Amino acid sequence: MLLWLCLCWGFSPSAGQPDSELMARYLEEQLLADYSIAEQVARRVPRQAKFLQRLETRPRMSEFHVRSTIISRYAFTTVSSTMVNSGSEAREAVFEMQIPAAAFISNFTMSIGNKTYYGEVTGKEKKNNTDDKERHKKLPSPTEGRENGYETFKASVFIPRKMQARFILHYEELLQRRLGKYEYTVSIRPQQLVGRLRVEVNILENSGIVNLEVPPLRNSKQKGNGKAEGDVSPPPSTVIGHTKTLAKVTFNPSVVEQTRIARNGILGDFIIRYDVNRELSVGDVQILNGYFVHYFAPTDLPPLPKNVVFVLDSSASMVGTKLKQTKEALFTILQDLRPEDHFNIIGFSNRIKVWQQDRLVPVTPNNIRDAKKYIHNMSPTGGTNINGALLTGAKLLNDYIAQNDIDARSVSLIIFLTDGRPTVGETQSSKILSNTKDAIRDKFCLFTIGIGNDVDHKLLERMALENCGMTRLFQEDEDAASHLKGFYDEIGTPLLSDIRVDYPEDDVEQVTQNFFPNYFNGSEIIIAGKLINRTSDRLHVEVTASNSKKYILLKTDVAIDLQGRNDIRGVPGLEDGKGDNNYIERAWSYLTIKELLNSRLKSDDSQEKDNLMEKAKSMALAYNFVTPFTVLKMKEAGLHSEPPQEEFVSPSTDGIGEKVQSLQGHRAPSGIRRGQDKQRIKISKTSADGDPHFVIDFPSSKFSVCFNIDGDPGDILRLVSDHKESGVTVNGQLIGAPAPPNGHKKHRTYFSTITILSNKPERSYLEITPKRVILDDGERLVLSCGRSAVVRSRSLEVSISAYSNITVTIRDSISFVILIHHYKRPAPYQRNHLGFYISNSKGLSSDSHGLLGQFLNHEVKLLQESLNTSAQAVGQNQTEALKANPTNTLKVKGRLVPVVWKQRRIFNGQQEVDCWFAKNNADKLIDGSYRDYLASHPFDTGSSFGTMNSL
């Protein structure tokens, strides 16, 4: 019909752009008209019969719709396509759709006229050779397999003349976070211009959607698409709208707009990227209908040092573009190494060449320069000795770890790149796998990269899977340099090691992988499971990450089945989803099946492999997923449907094994026991809290002394100063607020920030506000006060009880408790503030000073004065009798201080404390005046009046 239009309107198929656009406009109108027009025109113009016959060889696609619903990273996608046979005889229609390799097909339906055919997921039977031969005689060849992380679903049927067929495909996937964003991709390749083409994506993220973007259509094979290099604008006709938690993106190009993109109907990949709000906490735990899913992706963590060995294929097959792009990528990667990293390079063909023998070198300008020279001089020659190269790299890294005093927090890894199969040395895949695993011995991770169509991707993905790594496969015609750099960026910044997520063992069951060797910046750890006790209203969660220098424990209790949060019924734009309401359960089943497939791939035991296969098959049948062990069969004859074959959808690091956290770990032992987290803090009366009110407890004298400091907003008060001896300093900064009406004060002041500094045995400081805690011991860590957490290093422990208190312990002999005061509806004279309490002062020296510190190792005496007699010491048993006497006096370091009896409200559990109150900003009670205790900045460690030091 297209050629006929060209002749009828007098246009040339090779005419300029205006002609093609005018032709497309006409075609757009015709595609929406009655499909009998083509036959009528054919009768009127018999000379064009040959052209019409060619056009009638395939039905025309009149409609292509994609509707996706993404709920908390779990995506439900429905693809609908309508094809019309306007010819004079039955024609074969082929529905072909590229879907992500990590996705599971969940349903397929097709209608021809008034007949409907339903897909049914059934278990695969063991192959019978005779049946296979007969089947291959009748069925077309399998669809093309993996390409650029996609698999092709293909179904074909004959459509009778003047009728139409409609195909509906459903698939599901769990979006994976890479480089700080989730990416959802839809392949739009109808292979012809479509009258009605529409993509609609609805996103619901209760955590809040941030950084939503829709880049240009991606098609690495597309040429002449008119896009300027560097163009980042969305595809034409794209409409983006979103609120804090909801987003809707539509793509609805007309035929004219489709023609401008690609005249052959291969538009490319429609991509949506976004992230969610997050903080350093236990992560986002969502619970619904007896199932939970847990997303953990902390931010603001310092990177860990790396020990990395690059093992690069330089065999003859790498000649040309592949080796050139590999070199370009390595040049950039070397520049991104951090000063604390160590590295080496191995080039291999039939020979193995190590850049720096028997060592890893630090990252210095000279070493980077020499490494670039070595890579530049690599030339392609010889065969491919994969086994020898991996063993050499493993020995190099093992020897370096064993013989050097490396940073125990560092992450060691091998990055291996090849474009082919083993041809030199050991060539049997099973032995290469065994040798590699024995050489690595779970001491570090192996990441593999394959370039081109000749690579043994199964070998690479299993090597990575068995050695806590992941793999990437790139096509030869892709931009390998940018892909390699992007892959390195994913693993180039390790933030945590030995991550373990625990739940009470009496509350959960069938929990997916909950131990991960490493966490890389921009990725995400995902765990899911079932609840045992559905009557409980909360689920306790603990996340630990440990290394030799620092131990982090994050804790929280999550409310179960929060109505209106995880229940999506009635959410605008999500009304039509049928399986969407149980999205958490389906995410759990998705993760569980992926783990079973990965476990089977790693196993060498035939009995274990069979058991894992049966478990995966049983769950896939229960949730209607097409997997390597299930097939999609149509209920009516005459229809041939080809879901992705087993070899194309085998578990791989292109799937959840990689993206759940890039690294495969071992299942951790059973979880925490109920109630083990319950603890009560113990604090003394010695404190500074409120306006601020100071209280000093003297246990041996059996009484307390209190005083006020009427400072100015912005003042920084030195509370404890023992920098020279124990190395500890505590400063508190004041914030102002209006005074209450009818009060005697001009304004009120509260502690807005408490800074705790320590320089023994190593430098560290804590900056605490009502919202967050910043810990810096050479590495900066930011914690929210709204999440329970514990962080431990060699000499310091910080324990946060959410929205309640923070306990700081230094060398097990000094403890401070900071209370968090939050007002839900603060009055004008109220401010969120902190209270400072000293719980344990044994580690502070006798020379400690500060508004509180000067009294920790001194006693005071209570005296009674009369008008004509000298001062007389009062025994402890007489204290009660003196309470009402307004002329009582304290003797402090030889100074006489008049005091009155008072009750003071504190927050150590007693609420009120009786004390002797010293007036006038503690005049004569403290050494000097209160202005002598003003610090010049929060990190001032000066311990004597008139001096100032900085940590």
Coordinates of all heavy atoms in Angstrom, one line a residue, residues 79-127:
V79 N 1.4 -5.9 26.9 CA 1.6 -5.5 25.6 C 0.4 -6.0 24.7 O 0.1 -7.2 24.7 CB 2.9 -6.0 25.0 CG1 3.2 -5.5 23.6 CG2 4.1 -5.6 25.9
S80 N -0.2 -5.1 24.0 CA -1.4 -5.5 23.2 C -1.1 -5.0 21.8 O -0.7 -3.9 21.5 CB -2.6 -4.8 23.7 OG -3.7 -5.0 22.9
S81 N -1.3 -5.9 20.8 CA -1.1 -5.6 19.4 C -2.2 -6.2 18.6 O -2.6 -7.4 18.8 CB 0.3 -6.3 19.0 OG 0.5 -6.1 17.6
T82 N -2.7 -5.4 17.7 CA -3.8 -5.8 16.8 C -3.3 -5.8 15.3 O -2.7 -4.8 14.9 CB -5.0 -4.9 16.9 OG1 -5.5 -4.9 18.2 CG2 -6.1 -5.3 15.9
M83 N -3.5 -6.9 14.6 CA -3.0 -7.0 13.3 C -4.2 -7.3 12.4 O -5.1 -8.1 12.7 CB -2.0 -8.1 13.1 CG -0.7 -7.8 13.9 SD 0.6 -9.1 13.5 CE 1.9 -8.5 14.6
V84 N -4.2 -6.7 11.2 CA -5.4 -6.8 10.3 C -4.9 -7.4 9.0 O -3.9 -7.0 8.4 CB -6.0 -5.4 10.0 CG1 -7.1 -5.5 9.0 CG2 -6.4 -4.8 11.3
N85 N -5.6 -8.4 8.5 CA -5.3 -9.0 7.2 C -6.4 -8.5 6.2 O -7.5 -8.9 6.2 CB -5.4 -10.5 7.3 CG -5.2 -11.2 5.9 OD1 -4.7 -10.6 5.0 ND2 -5.5 -12.5 5.8
S86 N -6.0 -7.5 5.5 CA -6.9 -6.9 4.5 C -6.8 -7.6 3.1 O -7.3 -7.1 2.1 CB -6.7 -5.4 4.4 OG -5.3 -5.2 4.0
G87 N -6.0 -8.7 3.1 CA -5.8 -9.4 1.8 C -6.9 -10.2 1.4 O -7.9 -10.4 2.1
S88 N -6.8 -10.9 0.3 CA -7.8 -11.7 -0.2 C -7.7 -13.2 0.2 O -8.5 -14.0 -0.2 CB -7.8 -11.7 -1.8 OG -6.6 -12.0 -2.3
E89 N -6.7 -13.5 0.9 CA -6.5 -14.9 1.4 C -5.8 -14.8 2.8 O -5.3 -13.8 3.2 CB -5.6 -15.7 0.5 CG -4.2 -15.1 0.3 CD -3.4 -15.9 -0.8 OE1 -4.0 -16.5 -1.7 OE2 -2.2 -15.9 -0.6
A90 N -5.9 -16.0 3.5 CA -5.3 -16.0 4.8 C -3.8 -15.8 4.8 O -3.1 -16.2 3.9 CB -5.6 -17.4 5.4
R91 N -3.3 -15.0 5.8 CA -1.9 -14.7 5.8 C -1.4 -14.9 7.2 O -2.1 -14.8 8.2 CB -1.7 -13.2 5.5 CG -2.1 -12.8 4.1 CD -1.2 -13.4 3.0 NE -1.6 -13.0 1.7 CZ -1.1 -13.5 0.6 NH1 -0.2 -14.4 0.7 NH2 -1.5 -13.1 -0.6
E92 N -0.1 -15.2 7.3 CA 0.5 -15.5 8.6 C 0.9 -14.2 9.3 O 1.5 -13.3 8.7 CB 1.8 -16.3 8.5 CG 2.4 -16.7 9.8 CD 3.7 -17.5 9.7 OE1 4.4 -17.4 8.6 OE2 4.1 -18.2 10.7
A93 N 0.5 -14.0 10.5 CA 0.8 -12.9 11.3 C 1.8 -13.3 12.4 O 1.6 -14.4 13.1 CB -0.4 -12.3 12.0
V94 N 2.9 -12.6 12.6 CA 3.9 -12.9 13.6 C 3.9 -11.8 14.6 O 4.2 -10.6 14.3 CB 5.3 -13.1 12.9 CG1 6.3 -13.4 14.0 CG2 5.2 -14.2 11.9
F95 N 3.7 -12.2 15.9 CA 3.8 -11.2 17.0 C 5.1 -11.5 17.6 O 5.5 -12.6 18.1 CB 2.7 -11.4 18.0 CG 2.9 -10.6 19.3 CD1 2.7 -9.3 19.3 CD2 3.3 -11.3 20.4 CE1 2.8 -8.5 20.5 CE2 3.4 -10.6 21.6 CZ 3.2 -9.2 21.6
E96 N 6.0 -10.4 17.6 CA 7.3 -10.6 18.2 C 7.6 -9.4 19.1 O 7.4 -8.3 18.8 CB 8.3 -10.6 17.0 CG 9.7 -10.9 17.4 CD 10.6 -11.1 16.1 OE1 10.2 -11.8 15.2 OE2 11.7 -10.5 16.1
M97 N 8.1 -9.8 20.3 CA 8.3 -8.7 21.3 C 9.6 -9.1 22.1 O 9.8 -10.2 22.6 CB 7.1 -8.7 22.3 CG 7.2 -7.6 23.4 SD 7.1 -6.0 22.7 CE 7.5 -5.0 24.1
Q98 N 10.5 -8.1 22.2 CA 11.7 -8.2 23.0 C 11.3 -7.9 24.4 O 10.7 -6.8 24.7 CB 12.8 -7.3 22.5 CG 13.4 -7.8 21.2 CD 14.7 -7.0 20.9 OE1 15.0 -6.0 21.5 NE2 15.4 -7.5 19.9
I99 N 11.6 -8.8 25.4 CA 11.4 -8.5 26.8 C 12.7 -8.6 27.6 O 13.6 -9.3 27.1 CB 10.3 -9.5 27.3 CG1 10.9 -10.9 27.3 CG2 9.0 -9.4 26.6 CD1 9.9 -11.9 28.0
P100 N 12.8 -7.9 28.7 CA 14.0 -8.0 29.5 C 14.4 -9.5 29.9 O 13.5 -10.2 30.2 CB 13.7 -7.2 30.7 CG 12.7 -6.2 30.3 CD 11.8 -7.0 29.3
A101 N 15.6 -9.8 29.8 CA 16.0 -11.2 30.1 C 15.7 -11.6 31.6 O 15.5 -12.7 31.8 CB 17.5 -11.3 29.9
A102 N 15.6 -10.6 32.5 CA 15.3 -10.9 33.9 C 13.8 -11.0 34.1 O 13.4 -11.4 35.2 CB 15.8 -9.8 34.8
A103 N 12.9 -10.7 33.1 CA 11.5 -10.8 33.3 C 10.9 -12.2 33.2 O 11.5 -13.0 32.5 CB 10.8 -9.8 32.3
F104 N 9.8 -12.4 33.8 CA 9.0 -13.6 33.6 C 7.7 -13.3 32.9 O 7.0 -12.5 33.3 CB 8.7 -14.3 35.0 CG 9.8 -14.9 35.7 CD1 9.9 -14.9 37.1 CD2 10.8 -15.6 35.0 CE1 10.9 -15.5 37.8 CE2 11.9 -16.2 35.7 CZ 11.9 -16.2 37.0
I105 N 7.5 -14.1 31.8 CA 6.1 -14.0 31.2 C 5.1 -14.7 32.1 O 5.3 -15.7 32.7 CB 6.2 -14.7 29.8 CG1 7.1 -14.0 28.9 CG2 4.8 -14.9 29.3 CD1 7.3 -14.7 27.6
S106 N 4.0 -14.0 32.3 CA 3.0 -14.5 33.2 C 1.6 -14.8 32.5 O 0.8 -15.5 33.1 CB 2.7 -13.5 34.3 OG 2.3 -12.2 33.8
N107 N 1.5 -14.4 31.3 CA 0.2 -14.7 30.6 C 0.3 -14.3 29.1 O 1.1 -13.4 28.8 CB -1.0 -14.0 31.2 CG -2.3 -14.8 30.9 OD1 -2.3 -15.7 30.1 ND2 -3.4 -14.3 31.5
F108 N -0.4 -15.0 28.3 CA -0.5 -14.7 26.9 C -1.8 -15.1 26.3 O -2.3 -16.2 26.6 CB 0.6 -15.4 26.1 CG 0.6 -15.1 24.6 CD1 0.8 -13.8 24.1 CD2 0.3 -16.1 23.7 CE1 0.8 -13.5 22.8 CE2 0.2 -15.8 22.3 CZ 0.5 -14.5 21.9
T109 N -2.5 -14.1 25.6 CA -3.8 -14.4 25.1 C -3.8 -13.9 23.7 O -3.2 -12.9 23.3 CB -4.9 -13.6 25.9 OG1 -4.8 -13.9 27.3 CG2 -6.3 -13.9 25.4
M110 N -4.6 -14.6 22.8 CA -4.8 -14.2 21.5 C -6.2 -14.4 21.0 O -6.8 -15.4 21.3 CB -3.8 -14.9 20.5 CG -3.6 -14.2 19.2 SD -2.8 -15.2 18.0 CE -4.1 -16.3 17.6
S111 N -6.7 -13.4 20.3 CA -8.1 -13.5 19.7 C -8.0 -13.4 18.2 O -7.3 -12.5 17.7 CB -9.0 -12.4 20.3 OG -9.0 -12.5 21.7
I112 N -8.7 -14.3 17.5 CA -8.9 -14.2 16.0 C -10.4 -14.1 15.7 O -11.1 -15.1 16.0 CB -8.2 -15.4 15.3 CG1 -6.8 -15.5 15.8 CG2 -8.3 -15.2 13.8 CD1 -6.1 -16.8 15.2
G113 N -10.8 -13.0 15.3 CA -12.3 -12.9 15.1 C -13.0 -13.0 16.4 O -12.7 -12.2 17.3
N114 N -13.9 -13.9 16.5 CA -14.6 -14.1 17.8 C -14.1 -15.2 18.6 O -14.7 -15.7 19.5 CB -16.1 -14.2 17.5 CG -16.4 -15.4 16.6 OD1 -15.4 -16.1 16.1 ND2 -17.6 -15.7 16.3
K115 N -12.9 -15.8 18.2 CA -12.4 -16.9 18.9 C -11.2 -16.4 19.8 O -10.4 -15.6 19.3 CB -11.9 -18.0 18.0 CG -13.0 -18.7 17.3 CD -12.5 -19.9 16.5 CE -13.6 -20.6 15.8 NZ -13.1 -21.8 14.9
T116 N -11.1 -16.9 21.0 CA -10.0 -16.5 21.9 C -9.2 -17.7 22.3 O -9.8 -18.8 22.6 CB -10.6 -15.8 23.1 OG1 -11.3 -14.7 22.7 CG2 -9.5 -15.3 24.1
Y117 N -7.9 -17.6 22.4 CA -7.0 -18.6 22.7 C -6.2 -18.2 24.0 O -5.7 -17.1 24.0 CB -6.0 -19.0 21.6 CG -6.7 -19.4 20.3 CD1 -7.2 -18.5 19.4 CD2 -6.9 -20.7 20.1 CE1 -7.9 -18.8 18.3 CE2 -7.6 -21.1 18.9 CZ -8.0 -20.2 18.0 OH -8.7 -20.6 16.9
Y118 N -6.2 -19.0 25.0 CA -5.5 -18.6 26.2 C -4.2 -19.4 26.4 O -4.2 -20.6 26.1 CB -6.4 -18.9 27.4 CG -7.7 -18.1 27.4 CD1 -8.9 -18.6 26.9 CD2 -7.7 -16.8 28.0 CE1 -10.0 -17.8 26.9 CE2 -8.8 -16.0 28.0 CZ -10.0 -16.5 27.5 OH -11.1 -15.8 27.5
G119 N -3.2 -18.8 26.9 CA -2.0 -19.5 27.2 C -2.1 -20.1 28.6 O -2.7 -19.6 29.5
E120 N -1.5 -21.3 28.7 CA -1.5 -22.0 30.0 C 0.0 -22.4 30.3 O 0.6 -23.0 29.5 CB -2.4 -23.2 29.9 CG -2.4 -24.0 31.2 CD -3.3 -25.2 31.1 OE1 -3.7 -25.6 29.9 OE2 -3.6 -25.9 32.1
V121 N 0.4 -22.0 31.5 CA 1.8 -22.4 31.9 C 1.7 -23.8 32.5 O 1.0 -24.1 33.5 CB 2.3 -21.4 33.0 CG1 3.7 -21.8 33.5 CG2 2.4 -20.0 32.4
T122 N 2.5 -24.7 31.9 CA 2.6 -26.1 32.4 C 4.1 -26.4 32.6 O 5.0 -25.8 32.1 CB 2.0 -27.0 31.4 OG1 2.7 -27.0 30.1 CG2 0.5 -26.7 31.1
G123 N 4.3 -27.5 33.4 CA 5.7 -28.0 33.6 C 6.2 -28.6 32.4 O 5.5 -29.3 31.6
K124 N 7.5 -28.5 32.2 CA 8.2 -29.2 31.1 C 8.4 -30.6 31.4 O 8.8 -31.0 32.5 CB 9.6 -28.5 30.9 CG 9.6 -27.4 29.9 CD 11.0 -27.0 29.6 CE 11.0 -25.8 28.6 NZ 12.4 -25.4 28.3
E125 N 8.1 -31.4 30.4 CA 8.4 -32.9 30.6 C 9.8 -33.2 30.1 O 10.4 -32.4 29.3 CB 7.3 -33.7 29.8 CG 5.9 -33.4 30.2 CD 5.6 -33.8 31.6 OE1 6.3 -34.7 32.1 OE2 4.7 -33.2 32.2
K126 N 10.3 -34.3 30.6 CA 11.6 -34.7 30.1 C 11.5 -35.0 28.6 O 10.6 -35.6 28.1 CB 12.1 -35.9 30.8 CG 12.5 -35.6 32.3 CD 13.1 -36.8 33.0 CE 13.5 -36.5 34.4 NZ 14.2 -37.6 35.1
K127 N 12.6 -34.6 27.9 CA 12.5 -34.7 26.4 C 12.6 -36.1 26.0 O 13.3 -37.0 26.5 CB 13.7 -33.9 25.9 CG 13.6 -32.4 26.0 CD 14.8 -31.7 25.4 CE 14.7 -30.2 25.5 NZ 15.8 -29.5 24.9

